Amino acid sequence: MDPTPVWLARGSCTYSATMFDFTSTGIWRKTLAEREADPFATPRERLRSQFLRFRDNAEKVADEIKRAYPSLTVHGITHLDALWEMADIILGVDYPLTPAEAFVLGGAFLVHDLGNGLAAYPGGEAELRASKAWKDALAARIRREKGRAPRSSELEKPPPELAQLATEDALRVLHAKQAAQLAQLSWRGPRGEPLYLIEDPAMRSHFGKLIGEIAYSHWWDVSEVAHRFARQELGPASFMPRDWTVDALKVACLLRVSDAAHIDERRAPQFLMALRDPQGVSRAHWTFQSKLSKPHLPHGKDRLIYTSGEAFTHDEAEAFWLCFDTLNMISRELRDVDAVLAEHQRQRFAARGVADADDARRLADHSVKTEGWTPIDARIHVSDVPSLVTRLGGAQLYGDEPTVPLRELLQNAADAVRARRALEGKPDGWGRIILRQGKDADGYWIEIADTGLGMSERVLTQHLLDFGRSYWSTEDMRREHPGLAASTFEPTGRFGIGFFSAFMWGDRLRVISRPYVEGEKTRVLEFNNGLRRRPLLRLAEPDERLHEGGTLVRVWMTDKGIWDKLFHDLGDQWGPTSKRLSLVKLVRRIAPTLDVTVDVEKEPGRRIRAITADDWLRLDPVRLLERTDVAEEDDLKVLAPRVLPLLGANGQCVGRACILEHYGTSTSKAVVTVGGLRAKGIYGLAGVFLGHTDVATRDEAKLRARSKDIAKWATQQGRAWADFGSSADKQKLGISTLRLGGSPRELPVLWIDGVPATLAVLEKWAAERSELKIIVLPNAGKTQVSGAVVVAFSSLPRLANEYAKYRHGDFLIQRLLAVLARTWGVKAGQILIEDRRGRWRWEENDGAKKRLSLFQPFLLRRPT
């Protein structure tokens, strides 16, 4: 048998006269209070007595929240009772409520925030930790603290401090959802008996579900409240008069604004938290809430008035601005609710806004005073938001690169597919992206469709259009898709700007999306005039509806020039091409290592497979190189046999490539991909490498391979090329191998007395000498230097940051020192170095002076 929950073991909590007397409110007196000669005394008494017992049980849970989480705004009985007063003020005089509506409203008051504590979970902390929300919260905390994805060991045995933070985060995310169940949940009492917040079984059965739904709704958008409750009316219970019905919309709206409007000192968090918060945010909350009085509604007015008994000094400016923003939020909630009630033919509440909430200076003059300073709302304002978004989300950020929108839309589609895989436990390679192209009366268009998560109305209208903030990092994502944050899913898109790059193509764009959950509707978001006009959201027409979850984005090109440039002039990524690329080849170049299948549909029913998920791992080397910039047939024949896998941690393949520093055109380059999509090129190599980036434009990326993995691969490359080319070619290959940290073995890397030599030859040569001359040249053009070691440097590939520090052959000097130290039996640091580089002379060259290096040698001496 489970132990008795702590909150149940504390005994009864009785109503205290020192608390606010919610029974003195007009709502209570007109609905549930005793009255003389009452023809409905019996059902009224049953509702009243059950509510008071309900309140008594809820108080115990609320007290546990206050004890466990003092940093939260108060969710104790003082706040719950105060909501009756807020509702009374907002409704005004003579607003009609039935006793049943009062019971449901009071019940929703009691449970709407009770999910913020473990006491709200019959199974306690074990139940919470078993939830997807807790695991998601822990994963999000680890990402935030460590700056990386969580390891499985950290999820199984998290540090206590992170586990506590995850518990608080999960409770905040789950509390509204948990509130929907609390009126019907049971706990085990001391003898194993079931205990409920609503003790009367008939009343719990009749009212419990609606109380929970209304309590949950305080977290929804007001449009969702209207959609769910506009036509929902609960009839009377069997013991009540027939007109004691419950209008769910009216009650839900009243809960919403009453909770928002309660911000006085009875809601302030414990002051102790301010001492724990180095940023002072909690102190600011406490300051403004402790200064504010209760709101009041003057007779005949429709704006709530909040006043402060004590002025805000300039040291309390942050608290004032927090107060101003909060009053603005309350006013917005009141306006939104008023619009909903009017639209659905309900009697409107008396309070419909907050006085002076739109002007900080007027607020300070009239009601919330300041002392010694004047509040001027001098925040940064962006007057032309569409223009800013267009610039920063388009060509100003990405440059004149016509393939960027296609890359970003492919990225979004791939992320949606990967996320659905993780949520539904689909196998690797599941899901697909379909590209279509065409022309209609509005011009040329490209369409990208996926079988991913799809988007809810909230995501379509808020997160998709939230420039600079990625949906994948939000609490809304964790609420809509529990379990995703704690899964192996790692989104490629992390900056919240990629979607806006689509407007680089044109001003007309259509998004059709349907969440993958069964029964969801397909919605359409249309942009007909770019970002300067509001988009249109509507339900999909029958021929637009998606039969399963996913998203479809179609973009119309502004003019044919953009269309032509997309398939001909490929911008900085590849350079212009005289031959028009097909959409299939373009996709392969943009997404050479994508782990999602991509089909191109040139006409209905006729599809061509552009990419099979992760096919780069199995693809013939010739076909793989065709996805990069190596296109000459003769080059492919030579390079393909030398394309070798680069293996990273745990033997995972993180690249397939070869060295070509000594072969082929200097413009050829390997491709580094992020999330399967091209990010940057590396000269001197051919093939593909997996990488990661912290740059929004993704024109820079770091390899996922470790330095030692690159070195091992470079050694294998040396062997693969050992029988190819002249001695000069072999020397370039040896230098490239060294440059990448590998061992050149029998490949020459320098010249001794004008003859190509390996490190092994150097070792024998140095053993007979106590001093070496080392000359560093910019190329191998002059190697006939008697009695000296000549080292040449060139534009060698740099695969990792570790190699970026090597300049002008210094990486070779370091290897030479290591060889000499071993040969001479000393430490490298003991070798005496006389560096004569850095001497320059000026020469006349066609009438202009040119600075030339004298190339004086290093002198390396054996210590005496």
Side-chain angles (χ1 to χ4, degrees):
M1 181 185 300
D2 295 333
T4 303
V6 175
W7 68 271
L8 286 172
R10 292 189 184 277
S12 176
C13 296
T14 57
Y15 178 72
S16 169
T18 60
M19 300 177 183
F20 168 73
D21 185 2
F22 69 95
T23 64
S24 65
T25 61
I27 296 176
W28 180 271
R29 291 198 310 271
K30 289 183 288 186
T31 57
L32 295 174
E34 294 183 63
R35 62 190 63 187
E36 294 182 5
D38 183 3
F40 306 115
T42 300
R44 200 184 309 274
E45 165 59 24
R46 187 171 175 181
L47 283 172
R48 181 173 58 252
S49 63
Q50 277 301 306
F51 176 78
L52 293 175
R53 295 181 68 85
F54 187 176
R55 178 191 172 281
D56 189 46
N57 291 331
E59 182 179 1
K60 301 169 190 175
V61 180
D63 283 346
E64 282 303 304
I65 298 173
K66 184 171 64 176
R67 291 185 185 94
Y69 308 106
S71 65
L72 295 174
T73 53
V74 170
H75 297 83
I77 203 65
T78 55
H79 166 54
L80 304 181
D81 285 351
L83 294 182
W84 286 87
E85 184 179 27
M86 294 300 108
D88 218 27
I89 296 169
I90 290 168
L91 284 182
V93 182
D94 298 329
Y95 193 93
L97 281 180
T98 68
E101 287 172 335
F103 181 86
V104 171
L105 176 66
F109 285 162
L110 292 175
V111 302
H112 78 287
D113 276 345
L114 290 191
N116 275 299
L118 287 173
Y121 294 80
E125 188 167 11
E127 178 185 346
L128 181 65
R129 287 199 176 200
S131 69
K132 292 179 179 178
W134 189 86
K135 295 172 184 175
D136 284 347
L138 177 61
R141 274 287 173 181
I142 293 173
R143 283 188 173 90
R144 195 179 312 162
E145 298 287 332
K146 309 285 187 181
R148 56 167 173 78
R151 300 187 179 102
S152 56
S153 58
E154 292 172 319
L155 294 175
E156 292 171 6
K157 293 183 178 180
E161 62 277 9
L162 287 184
Q164 174 66 18
L165 291 171
T167 295
E168 295 186 24
D169 291 346
L171 288 171
R172 185 172 59 252
V173 170
L174 284 176
H175 86 276
K177 187 175 182 180
Q178 185 68 7
Q181 309 175 58
L182 286 178
Q184 296 174 293
L185 279 182
S186 67
W187 288 258
R188 292 198 176 195
R191 294 174 297 280
E193 73 279 15
L195 300 174
Y196 298 89
L197 292 176
I198 303 176
E199 296 176 357
D200 186 315
M203 292 182 65
R204 183 171 63 250
S205 175
H206 189 77
F207 292 114
K209 186 173 184 297
L210 182 59
I211 287 174
E213 287 179 346
I214 290 175
Y216 187 10
S217 75
H218 85 287
W219 198 259
W220 304 346
D221 288 334
V222 69
S223 59
E224 180 67 12
V225 173
H227 175 71
R228 294 278 290 272
F229 294 134
R231 293 177 178 81
Q232 188 171 344
E233 183 175 80
L234 181 67
S238 59
F239 64 89
M240 296 188 302
R242 63 184 181 183
D243 59 348
W244 284 15
T245 59
V246 179
D247 182 343
L249 178 62
K250 179 168 59 176
V251 176
C253 286
L254 188 52
L255 164 67
R256 186 181 191 88
V257 292
S258 300
D259 186 51
H262 184 220
I263 58 170
D264 59 37
E265 78 281 357
R266 293 171 293 179
R267 189 84 186 267
Q270 298 182 31
F271 183 71
L272 179 63
M273 181 54 189
L275 303 178
R276 292 169 51 196
D277 183 0
Q279 302 301 321
V281 174
S282 292
R283 186 185 297 274
H285 266 101
W286 186 88
T287 299
F288 95 71
Q289 289 178 324
S290 63
K291 286 177 179 285
L292 283 189
S293 66
K294 301 175 186 179
H296 64 281
L297 187 67
H299 180 69
K301 303 293 184 179
D302 62 0
R303 295 289 184 270
L304 292 179
I305 296 178
Y306 288 83
T307 59
S308 61
E310 186 180 350
F312 288 79
T313 66
H314 72 87
D315 290 334
E316 297 168 332
E318 182 182 1
F320 174 87
W321 287 117
L322 188 57
C323 174
F324 175 70
D325 291 340
T326 303
L327 295 182
N328 200 284
M329 176 274 295
I330 297 169
S331 190
R332 185 173 60 251
E333 288 284 359
L334 286 166
R335 291 196 305 269
D336 289 346
V337 161
D338 185 60
V340 165
L341 293 173
E343 178 184 357
H344 295 281
Q345 289 81 50
R346 303 304 203 277
Q347 183 170 327
R348 297 159 69 188
F349 301 156
R352 299 167 191 175
V354 175
D356 301 322
D358 58 341
D359 189 311
R361 188 164 188 169
R362 195 166 64 241
L363 180 70
D365 288 342
H366 293 169
S367 52
V368 180
K369 303 292 185 179
T370 60
E371 182 179 299
W373 66 287
T374 301
I376 302 297
D377 195 356
R379 292 174 297 180
I380 294 175
H381 295 278
V382 180
S383 300
D384 192 353
V385 174
S387 177
L388 179 68
V389 172
T390 301
R391 286 171 175 269
L392 296 185
Q396 295 292 331
L397 178 68
Y398 296 109
D400 187 17
E401 182 61 75
T403 61
V404 164
L406 183 56
R407 183 191 70 185
E408 296 299 312
L409 293 174
L410 281 171
Q411 171 197 280
N412 291 348
D415 276 345
V417 170
R418 295 182 191 119
R420 186 172 176 186
R421 275 184 203 159
L423 278 174
E424 295 192 314
K426 302 284 188 183
D428 293 343
W430 177 90
R432 73 179 56 206
I433 299 169
I434 301 173
L435 271 72
R436 303 179 180 94
Q437 64 185 89
K439 182 182 180 183
D440 58 21
D442 296 307
Y444 290 94
W445 53 261
I446 284 184
E447 184 175 276
I448 298 95
D450 65 67
T451 57
L453 286 181
M455 290 181 277
S456 65
E457 180 177 326
R458 183 178 179 85
V459 176
L460 270 173
T461 57
Q462 294 190 27
H463 295 288
L464 181 65
L465 305 181
D466 191 353
F467 184 78
R469 188 185 186 201
S470 172
Y471 169 66
W472 304 117
S473 62
T474 64
E475 285 191 358
D476 276 351
M477 187 278 287
R478 286 157 52 194
R479 287 190 183 93
E480 288 198 358
H481 305 296
L484 185 56
S487 72
T488 56
F489 170 66
E490 282 291 323
T492 303
R494 296 183 291 113
F495 302 100
I497 60 177
F499 169 74
F500 296 92
S501 69
F503 293 98
M504 292 170 62
W505 279 349
D507 290 336
R508 186 162 183 226
L509 185 150
R510 178 188 299 155
V511 181
I512 303 176
S513 193
R514 175 194 159 186
Y516 75 99
V517 180
E518 187 176 352
E520 289 283 353
K521 296 177 180 178
T522 303
R523 294 177 176 84
V524 180
L525 187 68
E526 290 183 323
F527 297 82
N528 293 314
N529 293 282
L531 294 170
R532 293 190 174 277
R533 300 285 179 85
R534 289 183 176 86
L536 172 68
L537 178 70
R538 60 178 174 82
L539 289 176
E541 299 294 336
D543 61 338
E544 296 174 318
R545 292 173 188 163
L546 304 181
H547 299 296
E548 62 172 324
T551 298
L552 182 153
V553 179
R554 177 180 289 191
V555 188
W556 282 264
M557 308 289 173
T558 298
D559 58 58
K560 190 175 182 294
I562 297 175
W563 178 267
D564 291 337
K565 191 173 183 180
L566 177 64
F567 293 103
H568 282 282
D569 179 5
L570 300 179
D572 295 335
Q573 287 280 10
W574 303 285
T577 176
S578 58
K579 185 178 180 181
R580 186 181 190 276
L581 285 176
S582 67
L583 185 55
V584 171
K585 288 186 177 180
L586 185 58
V587 168
R588 287 172 180 166
R589 287 195 171 196
I590 292 173
T593 65
L594 198 64
D595 61 344
V596 180
T597 295
V598 181
D599 289 339
V600 172
E601 189 175 282
K602 300 190 70 172
E603 56 187 63
R606 185 186 168 205
R607 292 181 183 175
I608 300 173
R609 179 62 46 87
I611 294 172
T612 300
D614 277 329
D615 61 357
W616 72 277
L617 293 168
R618 307 173 297 276
L619 211 57
D620 176 87
V622 171
R623 303 283 81 81
L624 180 66
L625 292 175
E626 285 178 343
R627 290 188 179 180
T628 63
D629 292 341
V630 181
E632 296 297 329
E633 194 66 29
D634 291 340
D635 291 351
L636 290 174
K637 289 178 180 178
V638 175
L639 297 175
R642 294 169 173 88
V643 171
L644 300 176
L646 171 57
L647 302 181
N650 303 319
Q652 179 189 15
C653 183
V654 293
R656 290 181 68 199
C658 67
I659 293 174
L660 53 69
E661 168 62 23
H662 60 295
Y663 177 82
T665 172
S666 61
T667 59
S668 296
K669 54 188 176 181
V671 174
V672 181
T673 64
V674 175
L677 301 158
R678 175 186 289 254
K680 65 173 291 186
I682 304 179
Y683 290 105
L685 301 170
V688 293
F689 298 93
L690 304 187
H692 59 89
T693 185
D694 295 321
V695 181
T697 56
R698 285 212 304 274
D699 53 3
E700 288 296 330
K702 298 177 182 178
L703 295 198
R704 284 169 52 180
R706 301 167 298 182
S707 298
K708 63 180 181 179
D709 301 324
I710 296 171
K712 184 177 180 180
W713 173 81
T715 300
Q716 295 169 342
Q717 280 293 300
R719 294 174 189 160
W721 284 99
D723 60 350
F724 180 86
S726 65
S727 59
D729 289 332
K730 287 183 172 63
Q731 180 162 18
K732 289 181 180 180
L733 174 67
I735 294 174
S736 294
T737 304
L738 269 181
R739 182 73 175 79
L740 297 169
S743 174
R745 297 180 183 270
E746 300 305 316
L747 293 170
V749 295
L750 39 75
W751 289 265
I752 298 177
D753 286 336
V755 178
T758 65
L759 290 178
V761 171
L762 172 68
E763 192 168 350
K764 292 179 181 178
W765 196 71
E768 302 171 357
R769 291 166 173 76
S770 60
E771 180 181 283
L772 272 72
K773 290 181 180 180
I774 310 293
I775 299 177
V776 179
L777 296 177
N779 54 57
K782 297 179 180 181
T783 59
Q784 302 297 323
V785 182
S786 178
V789 176
V790 177
V791 176
F793 61 85
S794 58
S795 56
L796 298 168
R798 292 173 181 169
L799 282 191
N801 282 350
E802 288 83 353
Y803 301 112
K805 61 187 178 185
Y806 298 129
R807 297 278 193 269
H808 305 317
D810 285 356
F811 69 97
L812 272 178
I813 301 302
Q814 298 299 321
R815 291 299 292 267
L816 296 185
L817 287 172
V819 170
L820 293 179
R822 184 171 61 251
T823 303
W824 288 342
V826 298
K827 294 181 179 179
Q830 295 175 316
I831 296 175
L832 303 176
I833 304 175
E834 182 180 345
D835 187 354
R836 297 181 182 180
R837 292 178 305 166
R839 298 184 181 183
W840 305 90
R841 64 185 171 85
W842 293 95
E843 286 187 351
E844 291 289 337
N845 186 6
D846 295 331
K849 285 188 175 182
K850 184 177 181 182
R851 194 172 70 165
L852 299 176
S853 172
L854 294 178
F855 294 110
Q856 296 291 340
F858 286 95
L859 292 180
L860 303 181
R861 295 191 180 94
R862 186 202 308 244
T864 57

